[in-house]
Amino acid sequence: MKCWLNKLLLILLVFCCLTLSGCWDRIEINDLAIVSGAAIDLGNKKNEITLSVQILSPRALSGSQGGSSYSTKMAIVRSAQGINIADAMSKLQKKLSRKIFLGHCKVYIFGERLAKAGISDMTDFISRHPETRNRAQIYVSKGDASSILQVIPPLERYSSEVLRELAKQNVGESVTLVDLRQMMQGQVHTCLLPMVAILPPQGQVKKEETIPYLVGTAVFDQGKMVGSLSGRITRGVMWLRDEIQRSTVTVKLKNAKGFITVSPIREHSRLEPRIENGKWIMKVQVVSEGDIVENGTNLNLSDPKWVAEIEEALRKDIETRIQLALDTLQKRMKVDIIQFGPTFYQKYPQQFNQVKDRWQEQFAEIEVALEVSTIVRRAGLAAGPAGIPQSKVKE
């Protein structure tokens, strides 16, 4: 009996080995063209787009090249045109000896002209492709997106890595593929993307050896770019969206010469929608706690009176930024990218559905009640200003 069971187990083991074919569809890494970043622009011909990919150079990554050639050949850029991304990629594949692999592509850049024409089809392809990363960062470029991939940054290995690091710094808007898809499929069908441009060369820096940097935010309605926001207005939008994580605010007091800079350590924004007698009201509560990181005045900040004045100046500065963002979005653009629509929908779904088809007009009429609370926690190790004689310090 035992011998028969052993034979049966042996037969089952052999059968399993036959059915488990292993990595039958494997592709060796030496046969892959690993894409680190992709740029999509409008093509030269009508109804065509240009797909550009930044491909890591295997020789440079292996360290077989040294000196200046190492930095200049860390990545190469190849482009092709087509009626859509899938068509352009098939044509691009004919120009490469290795299979295009998007599994490590962490940055996608839309050109400004393409963004104004619409990015819905491009977002659909990126979302459907089995190799793309849901956490890939999405940007809009000033001018052609392909030019961003061409620059050779002095600190990072290639330009797409610069954009990936910028997203980590939390100094501006950071939008992933998942975020973009959720915004485009949300109740109001609006979205925003960070905008980048090439930093002008300075001093001895060559034109191609510059870096991409953040220049503001692109605003989209129904998949098309309808305008852009400056860095200052973007800050106000980030306050409204509860996205401020790292910032510094510099203020000036009435009774002192010079400026004081506060670095927030904790920020929180809360939206509370209300509908009263047919009037739509959004209460915005902002709380900011921070430390003083620079005292350029002659004030001794150990006095609570000066701290209170700093808190008041900080509160007014935050209010100004938020109000500037509200005026731009509600009065000029009439595009809801600050989550007013979804917030009202969560509390008043029936009323929201009644105005959903004309939400942008309704958004412009919403009354905003803004409440900003600021707290200065610490003045630093030195309460008085450094480098000023004690006789000139104002107590």
Side-chain angles (χ1 to χ4, degrees), residues 319-353:
E319 282 185 350
T320 300
R321 297 181 187 221
I322 294 177
Q323 193 60 53
L324 182 61
L326 288 171
D327 292 342
T328 302
L329 296 174
Q330 285 189 291
K331 303 300 187 290
R332 182 164 65 88
M333 290 186 174
K334 295 184 178 181
V335 178
D336 178 15
I337 59 171
I338 48 181
Q339 304 298 311
F340 278 16
T343 305
F344 271 104
Y345 176 76
Q346 291 176 2
K347 189 172 182 179
Y348 303 100
Q350 185 176 358
Q351 291 89 332
F352 177 83
N353 288 328

Side-chain angles (χ1 to χ4, degrees), residues 117-175:
I119 62 171
S120 298
D121 293 345
M122 292 69 191
T123 305
D124 179 81
F125 173 85
I126 298 173
S127 301
R128 289 178 184 271
H129 199 284
E131 294 177 355
T132 56
R133 293 189 173 197
N134 285 328
R135 294 299 174 184
Q137 298 292 326
I138 313 295
Y139 291 91
V140 173
S141 70
K142 282 278 189 181
D144 290 337
S146 60
S147 62
I148 303 293
L149 300 182
Q150 299 284 353
V151 299
I152 304 173
L155 293 180
E156 308 297 343
R157 295 177 296 176
Y158 35 84
S159 57
S160 57
E161 189 170 357
V162 175
L163 298 179
R164 184 173 60 84
E165 292 296 331
L166 280 175
K168 293 181 180 180
Q169 299 302 319
N170 297 314
V171 294
E173 288 291 345
S174 175
V175 179

Side-chain angles (χ1 to χ4, degrees), residues 297-310:
T297 68
N298 62 339
L299 302 178
N300 187 337
L301 301 183
S302 61
D303 190 337
K305 177 182 67 173
W306 300 126
V307 175
E309 287 199 20
I310 295 172

